[in-house]
Amino acid sequence: MKYIAILGSTGSIGTQTLEVVRAQQDIKVTALSAGDNIDLLEQQIREFRPALAAVKTEEKAKELALRISDLNIPVLSGMDGLMAVACEKKAEVLVTAIVGMLGIRPTIAAIEAGKDIALANKETLVTAGHIIMPLAKKCGVRILPVDSEHSAIFQSLNGEKEHGNKIDKILLTASGGPFRGMSREELSQVRLEDALKHPNWVMGRKITIDSATLVNKGLEVMEAKWLFDVELDQIQVVVHPQSVIHSMVQYEDGAIIAQLGTPDMKLPIQYALYYPERRYLPGDRLDFWKLKEITFEKPDTDTFLGLPLAFQAARTGGSMPTVFNAANERAVSKFLHRKIRFLDIYDIISDAME
């Protein structure tokens, strides 16, 4: 039996992690946290019977505790709740599926408690990679990537570093999002509903907007730098609209190893939870007889400023990646609440960085 805790169990990654748990039946969920969605969290608690749960506010915690009073499961709140979930004593792996910098402190606490990290919270490495990676090494724990792109790189590296084979560059693929090919003039007219229609992936609202601005790919560049110990100049973003190749690694002899599959987040989630074992995963498979084309493009960094701003933040270093990330979190929140327009996101990030 494998024991896991989940930060962000009601979000896209959290719910898909629980789908993997249901399918495999040899994983025990020991702790769950969520934001405000206590209706879904209550269902999850009743199904998986964790040792404890946590929510965002004390008010919601009291309401949920009253609802599940028959189960004798404590409900905590705030950062104390997240820290308790992260350090739940039986858990061997912490799945970090919450959005934003909120994940930093619980991730550090979990590493210090000896938990492996199934990392879906890219902002943790973007803003605190200089803390997280050395700490994981010191504590002897593994950082196992859950993002599809970083999982693909991780899989493409499997066994190569142990033999001393050197990375020439990482080819980080991007779908291009729902607005690929549009001009800035066209982007000035897009609506929230348009930005939330990702062509290939089903994701949470924040990451879907980040995909549309290419900020998400910029965050992934910074995450890859820390995860795989490479220089920024060794990371090349390639737009691949079909989302079949999830990312690639080019070695110094010119060979390129890629990981392919359908756009299904359960594959990287399951791979992280059972690494290095591969298990049967139900779902669609790539059919190369039906696959008509695999195409690639250079990203349009003149129109989609999320990527060049991210590279600028990463090259500047220091606190600038944190400024980039924090400004984006605030801007996306405003856009999701219809307080700003799509292109204003770039202005807010750029102004904050200046």
Side-chain angles (χ1 to χ4, degrees):
M1 186 68 71
K2 184 180 291 286
Y3 296 88
I4 70 169
I6 304 174
L7 294 175
S9 66
T10 59
S12 176
I13 295 296
T15 53
Q16 290 180 85
T17 300
L18 292 174
E19 287 181 39
V20 172
V21 172
R22 288 189 193 97
Q24 294 298 338
Q25 297 187 336
D26 63 350
I27 300 176
K28 169 64 178 172
V29 178
T30 67
L32 295 171
S33 86
D36 298 319
N37 191 353
I38 62 173
D39 291 335
L40 179 54
L41 183 57
E42 180 185 357
Q43 295 174 29
Q44 294 173 345
I45 291 169
R46 292 191 178 280
E47 178 177 1
F48 296 100
R49 301 298 172 97
L52 64 96
V55 293
K56 186 176 181 179
T57 65
E58 187 175 352
E59 180 185 358
K60 291 287 185 181
K62 289 178 180 178
E63 182 181 346
L64 181 59
L66 190 61
R67 290 192 192 186
I68 61 167
S69 58
D70 56 309
L71 299 180
N72 195 31
I73 294 173
V75 181
L76 307 176
S77 64
M79 182 54 68
D80 289 343
L82 293 178
M83 299 287 273
V85 170
C87 298
E88 199 287 320
K89 59 184 180 179
K90 280 192 175 181
E92 304 160 282
V93 178
L94 175 68
V95 180
T96 60
I98 54 177
V99 175
M101 293 185 286
L102 192 64
I104 296 173
R105 285 184 60 197
T107 302
I108 290 172
I111 291 171
E112 291 176 335
K115 319 290 187 187
D116 286 336
I117 307 297
L119 185 73
N121 173 239
K122 61 177 65 68
E123 294 89 349
T124 293
L125 286 190
V126 168
T127 59
H130 60 293
I131 297 170
I132 298 295
M133 297 309 291
L135 183 63
K137 185 175 182 181
K138 176 185 174 184
C139 296
V141 307
R142 300 181 298 183
I143 307 292
L144 301 162
V146 169
D147 271 347
S148 62
E149 294 85 354
H150 298 92
S151 178
I153 296 163
F154 185 63
Q155 293 177 62
S156 298
L157 287 169
N158 211 347
E160 296 289 340
K161 276 196 170 182
E162 289 81 351
H163 296 297
N165 296 325
K166 294 180 181 177
I167 298 172
D168 182 35
K169 65 179 175 181
I170 285 171
L171 296 155
L172 193 68
T173 59
S175 70
F179 303 142
R180 182 176 63 90
M182 284 190 179
S183 66
R184 285 186 65 83
E185 185 178 351
E186 290 171 316
L187 288 180
S188 67
Q189 305 300 320
V190 299
R191 303 170 303 156
L192 173 61
E193 291 78 10
D194 303 320
L196 289 171
K197 293 177 182 176
H198 195 281
N200 300 334
W201 295 94
V202 177
M203 306 178 290
R205 286 162 62 86
K206 193 264 184 183
I207 192 173
T208 303
I209 302 303
D210 285 350
S211 179
T213 60
L214 285 196
V215 163
N216 185 56
K217 206 51 52 179
L219 295 172
E220 288 178 0
V221 166
M222 289 189 264
E223 183 182 9
K225 173 186 178 294
W226 289 110
L227 271 176
F228 306 114
D229 192 23
V230 295
E231 300 298 325
L232 283 174
D233 291 337
Q234 291 178 280
I235 304 171
Q236 179 181 347
V237 175
V238 179
V239 174
H240 167 50
Q242 295 82 19
S243 297
V244 167
I245 297 175
H246 298 304
S247 276
M248 303 169 270
V249 176
Q250 179 174 303
Y251 292 91
E252 60 181 351
D253 62 356
I256 297 174
I257 297 178
Q259 187 263 324
L260 288 71
T262 57
D264 184 349
M265 281 304 301
K266 290 192 289 296
L267 192 157
I269 291 168
Q270 181 169 292
Y271 189 72
L273 292 180
Y274 285 102
Y275 176 79
E277 179 186 358
R278 290 190 183 273
R279 291 197 171 190
Y280 174 75
L281 180 69
D284 295 334
R285 301 295 192 260
L286 279 183
D287 186 338
F288 285 92
W289 287 355
K290 294 180 180 178
L291 188 62
K292 294 181 179 179
E293 60 179 3
I294 298 180
T295 61
F296 306 96
E297 304 167 11
K298 185 178 180 179
D300 179 1
T301 53
D302 292 327
T303 302
F304 296 92
L305 302 182
L307 193 53
L309 284 169
F311 269 99
Q312 180 186 335
R315 292 190 196 284
T316 302
S319 62
M320 193 61 82
T322 302
V323 173
F324 171 86
N325 181 75
N328 178 65
E329 286 188 21
R330 183 64 175 152
V332 171
S333 175
K334 284 178 173 289
F335 180 66
L336 287 171
H337 288 90
R338 304 179 191 274
K339 293 180 179 179
I340 62 172
R341 293 162 67 172
F342 183 80
L343 288 177
D344 293 336
I345 295 173
Y346 297 138
D347 294 336
I348 289 172
I349 297 171
S350 180
D351 289 348
M353 289 173 62
E354 285 298 319

